[in-house]
Amino acid sequence: MLSQSGIHAIRAMVALAAAPELEYRDVAGIASSTGSPRNYLGKILLQLSRHGLVESRKGLGGGFRLSRAAAEIRLIDVMASIEDVGRWSACVFTSGICSDTNPCMVHARWSRAREAFLAFLRDTTIAELATHEQEKANPLGVAAQSCCAIKPF
């Protein structure tokens, strides 16, 4: 259900969460640590900036950083910045008009799956992913070299 753009956005946010507080990271460094295409990631970071999730600064020592604590940024915030999460409520089997009163053939099952996925996005923070990634990369406390646990399907 996550688009490639969403995956790259989450990876970038996790990489920024791993950076020292108040430090800006350049796009090339983030792209290198996340395995994301540099130019594509630059556009994604600009979108995240427009939505207030990251701050940007131009010039020497510039780049991007989280605009608030990683524990305050939920995956749903990141995904909503990248794509229209409202479209996930549309029915894929009808012309989009599907409801509890006018259900399609998979409405009940899809509604449960969609709600579980949205709950995961609402309940999971960037800090949780960053902590998991750091623990995975640093089982003995060695400095992290790469990012991320989020992989495409």
Side-chain angles (χ1 to χ4, degrees):
M1 291 183 87
L2 295 176
S3 66
Q4 282 292 352
S5 295
I7 291 167
H8 289 300
I10 292 169
R11 287 179 179 174
M13 295 295 285
V14 170
L16 290 172
E21 193 174 347
L22 303 178
E23 182 178 299
Y24 286 89
R25 293 206 44 209
D26 67 339
V27 176
I30 299 167
S32 175
S33 70
T34 63
S36 300
R38 185 184 181 280
N39 291 338
Y40 183 55
L41 185 61
K43 292 175 185 174
I44 289 171
L45 287 164
L46 287 175
Q47 274 185 268
L48 293 169
S49 178
R50 280 187 224 111
H51 284 86
L53 296 177
V54 299
E55 296 175 355
S56 65
R57 183 170 74 183
K58 293 182 180 184
L60 187 62
F64 294 88
R65 69 180 183 190
L66 296 181
S67 62
R68 58 186 190 262
E72 297 174 13
I73 302 172
R74 304 198 172 280
L75 294 186
I76 192 76
D77 302 325
V78 178
M79 293 307 298
S81 297
I82 299 302
E83 57 190 71
D84 179 13
V85 295
R87 73 177 170 82
W88 294 342
S89 63
C91 181
V92 295
F93 292 101
T94 65
S95 61
I97 304 167
C98 177
S99 66
D100 291 336
T101 56
N102 186 26
C104 72
M105 62 189 118
V106 296
H107 179 76
R109 291 175 66 190
W110 170 241
S111 294
R112 286 191 306 270
R114 181 188 64 237
E115 190 49 45
F117 181 67
L118 290 172
F120 165 75
L121 294 176
R122 284 190 299 268
D123 297 342
T124 306
T125 67
I126 294 298
E128 291 174 78
L129 296 181
T131 299
H132 177 267
E133 186 63 22
Q134 190 171 32
E135 289 171 354
K136 186 178 109 193
N138 303 318
L140 303 174
V142 179
Q145 296 297 317
S146 67
C147 182
C148 279
I150 303 293
K151 305 284 186 228
F153 295 109

